[in-house]
Amino acid sequence: MKRTSARRVFAAALLVASVLAPMAAAPATAAPSVASHPSHPSRPDDCPAHELDPELASRLDKAIEKVRRQAGIPGVVAGLWMPGKGSYVRATGVADTATRKPMTSDVFVRIGSETKTFTVTALLKLVDDGLVGLDDPISQYIHGVPKGHRITLRHLAEMRSGLFPYTEDADFVHDLLSNPKRSFTPREVLAYGFKHKNTFAPGKQFEYSNTNLILLGLVVEKMSGHRLDDFIEKRVLRPARLSHTLFPRGFEFPRPHPRGYTNQTLTGEVADSTNWNPSWAWAAGAMISDLHDLRRWAKIVATGTLLRPQTQEQRLKMLPTGHPGTSYGLGIFNSDGWIGHNGSIPGYQTVTVYLPSKKATLVLMLNTDISYQGQEPSSLLARAITEIVTPDNVYDRPLPTS
């Protein structure tokens, strides 16, 4: 699905010409196998450690570099794991356009809307605990939601509530871009959206809206009695053994991390957004992770190992989005068989998806969110990779031209 607003990240539609000057390419480098990575201890699920066939790996190298150059992407980290065929981990380009420091595979990045998979998992843990029901109205938990008595938690998680996306409010965009380091509370960002009438009746159609996830974050806090970041840490990250993933409370950003570049500024000029405050995205997009945690999370969230089977079944009930080939469940999508989510926040984009039919995992991390010819750079890369390795399952498959 393509974004429907000029404010790409703030509108936060999923799936889906760079103004960065062309850069001298740093060579693509093969990262150590996961098991031998110095900052990531060996994990039993990290097989296979052997690399893909050299010819196939070379095709992927060339495809990634072609997209990176064409789209003006500073740096890319790509990881692909295919049982029976091997693994592929590459870092190419630069982590810093000023110093030309090469991108490396051990970096932390802001994962944007991939946060939604963690927030919805936290909600589903409460479903498993019997503390909330997916078909409960949001008004049962949070007061002041427009027509909240008709909007269920399920509607919110599946992006079918009809609540106006606060990120499309002009005042919000101006206030954020005027001071990208300011801190927003969940109630403050909701107020921008609640000024507007609901866009449709609950359940009638799909509309990607961060407003939905802010509300679900508040539900998790109210019914768990804990801060959202604490609950996710205790009930999601620890059981999943994700030791390099965090929900920041402020400006914390573990090192090493690449600089992030965006053109979502008041002037439209490219800016370094590395240290922008992600509080405005909160439960919808504030989290940080790295390649190997995201690799592990891809399978966990797609197969539901943290949840009761019947709850995971609810999560994977996919509904049409209006974009052929892509459907959406509860905080998770299916793009031509690849299950997971992408993320976009000023300066960074990610893709974390799992293909059950082949037990394959794909993770991408970029240090820009600047579109190329109206398309997300992360989608361009994921498409190029999957066209090669899984031609029957192409991520964000382009629409037919005739």
Side-chain angles (χ1 to χ4, degrees):
M1 281 179 352
K2 306 305 181 284
R3 296 187 185 278
T4 57
S5 166
R7 299 297 184 186
R8 301 181 315 279
V9 173
F10 304 135
L14 77 159
L15 272 188
V16 280
S18 174
V19 295
L20 288 174
M23 293 171 267
T29 57
S33 67
V34 175
S36 64
H37 197 288
S39 62
H40 300 276
S42 178
R43 295 166 177 165
D45 63 329
D46 277 333
C47 293
H50 66 280
E51 292 201 356
L52 290 179
D53 174 79
E55 182 179 347
L56 180 57
S58 177
R59 290 179 63 195
L60 290 174
D61 287 344
K62 292 175 181 177
I64 291 171
E65 193 61 16
K66 179 181 179 180
V67 172
R68 193 186 72 78
R69 286 175 174 271
Q70 285 182 338
I73 304 167
V76 175
V77 178
L80 177 68
W81 297 267
M82 302 185 72
K85 292 188 175 182
S87 62
Y88 172 93
V89 177
R90 292 289 190 273
T92 182
V94 297
D96 187 321
T97 60
T99 67
R100 316 305 301 166
K101 179 181 179 181
M103 181 70 95
T104 57
S105 63
D106 62 346
V107 294
F108 291 86
V109 297
R110 302 192 186 281
I111 63 172
S113 286
E114 288 196 33
T115 302
K116 293 174 173 65
T117 60
F118 293 93
T119 299
V120 171
T121 299
L123 176 76
L124 295 178
K125 296 292 281 186
L126 294 178
V127 171
D128 278 353
D129 292 344
L131 294 176
V132 302
L134 286 171
D135 296 311
D136 295 342
I138 184 61
S139 61
Q140 183 174 325
Y141 304 101
I142 308 296
H143 299 299
V145 180
K147 298 185 179 179
H149 63 289
R150 298 179 56 197
I151 298 170
T152 66
L153 304 187
R154 187 188 301 274
H155 288 141
L156 296 169
E158 64 190 13
M159 300 293 180
R160 305 177 88 84
S161 71
L163 290 170
F164 186 88
Y166 70 86
T167 48
E168 291 191 6
D169 177 76
D171 291 334
F172 167 78
V173 173
H174 178 269
D175 292 347
L176 175 59
L177 296 184
S178 296
N179 181 14
K181 293 190 175 183
R182 86 172 259 189
S183 180
F184 290 87
T185 68
R187 288 288 186 173
E188 284 174 339
V189 296
L190 286 176
Y192 289 103
F194 289 173
K195 294 188 303 181
H196 302 265
K197 292 182 178 180
N198 293 10
T199 55
F200 53 82
K204 292 297 183 181
Q205 64 187 71
F206 176 92
E207 181 182 38
Y208 198 80
S209 173
N210 282 339
T211 302
N212 298 325
L213 269 291
I214 301 299
L215 287 167
L216 291 181
L218 290 175
V219 171
V220 170
E221 289 199 329
K222 181 171 184 177
M223 299 311 295
S224 71
H226 298 281
R227 286 177 57 109
L228 179 62
D229 55 308
D230 288 337
F231 187 80
I232 286 178
E233 168 68 25
K234 180 180 179 181
R235 297 294 304 278
V236 181
L237 301 183
R238 289 181 192 171
R241 293 188 288 133
L242 304 182
S243 58
H244 293 80
T245 303
L246 70 147
F247 196 126
R249 292 191 178 188
F251 291 95
E252 60 266 39
F253 198 167
R255 294 182 183 277
H257 59 252
R259 310 303 297 181
Y261 303 95
T262 188
N263 62 354
Q264 295 207 74
T265 59
L266 289 177
T267 64
E269 296 180 356
V270 176
D272 183 329
S273 57
T274 308
N275 296 316
W276 285 15
N277 191 331
S279 62
W280 63 270
W282 194 52
M287 290 180 69
I288 294 167
S289 191
D290 73 351
L291 178 69
H292 298 293
D293 267 16
L294 292 179
R295 180 223 172 154
R296 182 174 177 80
W297 181 240
K299 184 176 180 180
I300 289 172
V301 73
T303 60
T305 55
L306 296 184
L307 302 171
R308 293 179 179 176
Q310 58 267 39
T311 305
Q312 178 69 4
E313 183 180 348
Q314 294 296 309
R315 167 150 60 186
L316 296 183
K317 283 187 176 180
M318 303 288 178
L319 296 173
T321 61
H323 180 73
T326 301
S327 52
Y328 203 86
L330 303 179
I332 196 169
F333 64 61
N334 182 322
S335 181
D336 202 16
W338 289 94
I339 297 174
H341 218 288
N342 61 345
S344 194
I345 195 167
Y348 301 92
Q349 286 197 344
T350 55
V351 173
T352 297
V353 287
Y354 181 77
L355 183 61
S357 63
K358 298 186 181 301
K359 298 182 179 179
T361 299
L362 173 64
V363 177
L364 294 173
M365 308 191 310
L366 291 66
N367 59 341
T368 187
D369 66 304
I370 298 173
S371 294
Y372 174 69
Q373 295 183 349
Q375 298 187 71
E376 299 294 327
S378 59
S379 282
L380 293 173
L381 284 166
R383 184 186 305 160
I385 291 169
T386 55
E387 283 177 342
I388 293 172
V389 297
T390 56
D392 293 332
N393 302 95
V394 177
Y395 179 96
D396 200 17
R397 189 185 294 274
L399 298 175
T401 56
S402 59

